[in-house]
Amino acid sequence: KGESVLESGLDSVHFMISTNTGEPKKPLEKIVSGGELSRIMLAMKAAFLDKDHTPTVIFDEIDIGISGRIAAAVGQKMYSIASATQVLIVTHLPQITAWADNHYIASKWEADGRTYSRIRLADPDERIAEIAGMIGGANVTESSFINAAEMISNVNKLKAELKPW
């Protein structure tokens, strides 16, 4: 009532969601954070994978507000999606990073009053060092490197067991 017909039609769609058990459903755009929205998009992408033909999916900040087992599950889900489409992920969690087939290192610097950035493919040793840095923060130790290498090894074993979509 009182709506006018637009170029795209008369209908409007609102996704309703409850992010916690027992809570009423509310409009998606009113209650979710950027990280939650990314994870909802991940779930939708997984659900519609066989019907959608998007060549590339980009997830940025999908790791906001998660850690540990949930991060590992998100990494595994994105790996599964990557069997059908290219997936690009910006993440700061080692549990997600370990699932990558290719790990790129982004860097930014200033020179002569300008900001420059570069992205390059990490070699296997750099990949371990990057994940060790995610684990150890400012205090990267030998244990951080061992844990990073073990994390990659464990994920590679899981990858070998997974079946493609």
Side-chain angles (χ1 to χ4, degrees):
K1 296 179 182 178
E3 295 181 279
S4 58
V5 177
L6 304 172
E7 270 185 48
S8 59
L10 180 62
D11 297 327
S12 62
V13 175
H14 295 277
F15 285 96
M16 306 293 282
I17 188 168
S18 172
T19 56
N20 293 300
T21 303
E23 294 296 315
K25 292 179 183 172
K26 297 179 183 172
L28 179 72
E29 70 273 9
K30 301 274 187 199
I31 63 168
V32 298
S33 67
E36 285 174 320
L37 184 57
S38 290
R39 290 185 293 280
I40 290 166
M41 290 301 299
L42 174 62
M44 291 175 88
K45 186 65 186 168
F48 296 113
L49 188 61
D50 59 340
K51 295 173 182 38
D52 188 6
H53 302 291
T54 305
T56 303
V57 180
I58 301 171
F59 291 104
D60 188 8
E61 296 186 11
I62 199 164
D63 56 7
I64 300 294
I66 63 171
S67 62
R69 289 182 190 174
I70 299 298
V74 167
Q76 184 173 349
K77 182 60 74 177
M78 286 190 280
Y79 178 78
S80 295
I81 291 171
S83 70
T85 189
Q86 181 181 34
V87 177
L88 302 175
I89 305 160
V90 177
T91 185
H92 304 284
L93 290 179
Q95 295 91 341
I96 292 176
T97 304
W99 281 92
D101 285 332
N102 296 290
H103 183 138
Y104 289 86
I105 299 172
S107 58
K108 188 187 276 190
W109 70 95
E110 290 182 26
D112 301 322
R114 300 223 30 215
T115 302
Y116 298 90
S117 59
R118 180 175 89 175
I119 186 166
R120 63 182 181 75
L121 183 63
D123 67 34
D125 291 336
E126 289 173 318
R127 182 168 185 225
I128 291 170
E130 287 289 312
I131 293 176
M134 293 175 187
I135 294 168
N139 187 25
V140 179
T141 64
E142 184 178 341
S143 294
S144 302
F145 280 92
I146 291 168
N147 190 255
E150 185 177 63
M151 187 178 289
I152 292 168
S153 176
N154 288 339
V155 164
N156 286 339
K157 289 174 189 169
L158 288 171
K159 284 179 177 181
E161 296 171 6
L162 288 177
K163 294 179 181 174
W165 286 94

